[in-house]
Amino acid sequence: MNARVLAHAGRGRARRAANGSTAEGAARAGLTARGVIYLLVGVLALQIAFGTGNRQADRGGALAELADKPFGAVLLWALGIGLVGMALWRLSEALFGVTGKDGHTARKRLPAAARCVFYAFVAYSVLAFAAGSGGGGSSDRQSRDVTAKVMEMPAGQWLVGLAGAGIVVAGVVIAVQALRRSYHKKLKLGELNPRTRRLVDVTGVGGGTARGIVFAVAGGFAVRAAVDYEPDKAKGLDDTLRSFAGTPLGPWLLVLVAAGLVLFGVFSFALARWRRV
């Protein structure tokens, strides 16, 4: 009996921590860290568009860029810890429910679990890079290697194609939600003055749309790799961004998309400040 009471009390304390200041601090640190990465990737992509970049426009390039700054090692560790906070926040959502309507349903908690796994991997790669043991490798090579390994599995070609199609759909959903300003539901709009709200909408719409487009195009390359049974046609973030420069619009389309990623980085900072957690 006592054991059950203690277990129930322990679960209650964990739930209160997940819904309280602990989760809020983790969420805001994680959103800030995400903003830093997107901001740096966007800047690197802009440099590529203007012919002045010598680094890959992906997470590895962003980490290398940050490492070259004053107190770079400290910044990398802070970034990694912030992303750990993001993973823990998503874990708390998966275990105890998401803020907002129907937050305790499986439809909301399962995506939170998937985001937890994703950000745990990202946090690990950043902390590994900070510790000097890798973690900042090329997203293009990683994408090709993973695609090749999956294609070797039974029904691997179908798995890659379905995964790519799923990424395309996710990208379209991200872009549509940004255009519809669905993020308003997650913000403390009452704390925003008109000027700040306009700034948040510019970064939220522009940044979210660009992010969705990048996801959709990357997924399209995965589908193409599956259809042609050529793993090398799968592209990571860097190659996906560079592909925009190969369109009839030339580097100017890459400029627009890269600027959008910079805006999404700024939008993540706004979420870190005004998001309801």
Side-chain angles (χ1 to χ4, degrees), residues 23-272:
E24 182 174 349
R28 302 201 188 286
L31 289 167
T32 301
R34 185 184 71 174
V36 171
I37 291 178
Y38 270 98
L39 185 64
L40 289 174
V41 169
V43 169
L44 291 172
L46 283 171
Q47 291 175 351
I48 291 170
F50 290 116
T52 60
N54 56 5
R55 281 199 168 118
Q56 291 192 320
D58 56 15
R59 186 173 63 249
L63 296 180
E65 185 74 12
L66 199 60
D68 286 345
K69 304 300 181 187
F71 305 104
V74 175
L75 294 173
L76 286 171
W77 281 106
L79 190 68
I81 293 170
L83 290 167
V84 169
M86 177 73 95
L88 292 175
W89 170 43
R90 295 305 189 182
L91 176 62
S92 73
E93 289 187 325
L95 293 176
F96 305 114
V98 179
T99 301
K101 185 179 179 181
D102 300 326
H104 290 277
T105 62
R107 185 172 62 88
K108 295 292 183 69
R109 294 169 70 172
L110 287 176
R115 292 186 183 104
C116 171
V117 173
F118 172 76
Y119 281 109
F121 170 77
V122 176
Y124 169 78
S125 68
V126 173
L127 291 173
F129 186 89
S133 56
S138 164
S139 62
D140 302 320
R141 185 178 66 251
Q142 292 172 354
S143 179
R144 290 191 295 268
D145 290 347
V146 169
T147 302
K149 289 179 181 179
V150 174
M151 281 190 175
E152 292 174 357
M153 300 167 57
Q157 189 174 5
W158 283 99
L159 291 174
V160 172
L162 289 173
I167 295 172
V168 171
V169 171
V172 172
V173 170
I174 289 170
V176 170
Q177 287 180 338
L179 291 169
R180 295 178 62 185
R181 304 182 186 184
S182 300
Y183 53 82
H184 280 184
K185 302 173 185 177
K186 302 176 182 178
L187 289 172
K188 300 176 182 177
L189 293 177
E191 297 183 9
L192 304 179
N193 60 46
R195 183 177 180 180
T196 303
R197 183 165 174 169
R198 284 195 296 272
L199 175 62
V200 169
D201 279 338
V202 168
T203 58
V205 173
T209 302
R211 181 175 179 240
I213 290 171
V214 172
F215 268 66
V217 173
F221 282 124
V223 171
R224 182 181 175 186
V227 170
D228 295 343
Y229 204 77
E230 294 184 31
D232 286 347
K233 288 187 177 180
K235 297 183 184 295
L237 179 56
D238 179 71
D239 272 352
T240 298
L241 288 171
R242 291 175 190 269
S243 70
F244 289 107
T247 64
L249 293 177
W252 291 110
L253 181 56
L254 176 55
V255 168
L256 289 175
V257 174
L261 295 182
V262 171
L263 288 177
F264 187 78
V266 177
F267 177 66
S268 291
F269 298 150
L271 287 177

